[in-house]
Amino acid sequence: MPYRRLPNTDQARIRALKAVVAKGDTYNVYDLAVSLKVLTDARNFLVKFEAAHSYYVECFERQSKAGRKHQANVKTARLYISHFIQVLNLAVIRSEVRTVHKEFYGLDMRNNNVPDLSTEAALAEWGRKIVEGESRRISQGGIPIYNPTIAKVRVHYDIFMESYEKQRNLQALTTRSLETLASMRSEADALILDIWNQVERKYAEVMPNEKRLELCRAYGLIYYYRTGEKEEIAK
């Protein structure tokens, strides 16, 4: 015998609920395989669940779209900040900038390595340190670093920070919308299980089995055949 399987995705849950609601819209209430109460519950819940799912999809798509542009900003900011630090270190090696002045930037005076800029949080932190450090050094009479200038670095850093904050906000919205959707899944599953149980009880005596399964499928029930089962039935 084939076995049924409850939906395991949100779209499948929505399809299952829509199937029974569609029956309620076209059948006389006395001919339905489910109670009026569960039909009403399904109709009311579907509206809320579908809205929550649509909002999550919208939030995720906005985040993804903004994310593509944001990654370009990340790449450019990382390039300029890394390049500025390398040029600063070369100036220190040539004695054009005093080693002790690296403290203005929070850089290690013992080596000329570029800090780890692999994460966006690190990029935000080091971008701020570099911009503030160059300003402090110049205010004390230091010669500005060129190619790139701190002004150019700051432009790309500010662009990055703007998209960084926007992306964080979009991620927070996506996370909250997903949490709201996830909190509704257990109710959806319980409701679908109740509907499917009622439908199967209604048609339990219908023969042959394929006719019974056809009636149940009309209410959204999903059945799966085990390996080789279809072939055996066909024989």
Side-chain angles (χ1 to χ4, degrees), residues 7 15-16 19-20 196 215-222:
R15 284 196 299 270
V20 70
W196 287 15
L215 291 169
C216 291
R217 287 189 182 105
Y219 279 85
L221 277 73
I222 305 295

Side-chain angles (χ1 to χ4, degrees), residues 143-183:
I143 299 173
I145 296 294
Y146 291 98
N147 193 30
T149 64
I150 197 62
K152 194 139 191 175
V153 173
R154 182 162 194 163
V155 166
H156 292 290
Y157 174 69
D158 288 345
I159 291 172
F160 156 72
M161 285 303 298
E162 183 179 348
S163 67
Y164 177 58
E165 292 301 324
K166 180 180 179 181
Q167 192 68 5
R168 289 176 67 186
N169 291 334
L170 289 174
Q171 287 172 347
L173 283 175
T174 302
T175 299
R176 286 198 296 270
S177 65
L178 179 58
E179 288 172 350
T180 298
L181 183 62
S183 71

Side-chain angles (χ1 to χ4, degrees), residues 26-115:
T26 56
Y27 275 52
N28 185 296
V29 65
Y30 299 105
D31 297 328
L32 287 173
V34 297
S35 68
L36 181 59
K37 179 184 182 304
V38 79
L39 175 63
T40 302
D41 289 346
R43 184 177 282 119
N44 292 338
F45 180 80
L46 177 61
V47 173
K48 296 184 293 183
F49 190 66
E50 196 167 17
H53 180 262
S54 296
Y55 181 59
Y56 163 68
V57 171
E58 179 186 338
C59 289
F60 182 79
E61 288 178 348
R62 282 207 310 263
Q63 178 190 329
S64 298
K65 184 178 179 180
R68 289 188 289 272
K69 184 176 180 180
H70 173 61
Q71 287 307 310
N73 295 333
V74 170
K75 183 178 180 179
T76 303
R78 182 177 289 123
L79 178 66
Y80 272 86
I81 292 169
S82 174
H83 191 189
F84 183 91
I85 294 172
Q86 291 176 61
V87 172
L88 173 64
N89 283 331
L90 288 173
V92 171
I93 292 171
R94 294 192 299 263
S95 299
E96 295 170 2
V97 173
R98 294 174 59 189
T99 302
V100 71
H101 284 175
K102 292 179 71 174
E103 288 187 338
F104 291 147
Y105 309 86
L107 293 168
D108 192 339
M109 291 187 295
R110 295 167 298 180
N111 62 64
N112 293 317
N113 297 331
V114 175

Side-chain angles (χ1 to χ4, degrees), residues 8 50 80 87 129-130 134-135 152 160-161 214 220 223:
N8 58 8
E50 196 167 17
Y80 272 86
V87 172
K129 287 181 177 180
I130 294 305
E134 180 72 349
S135 177
K152 194 139 191 175
F160 156 72
M161 285 303 298
E214 182 183 342
Y223 291 98

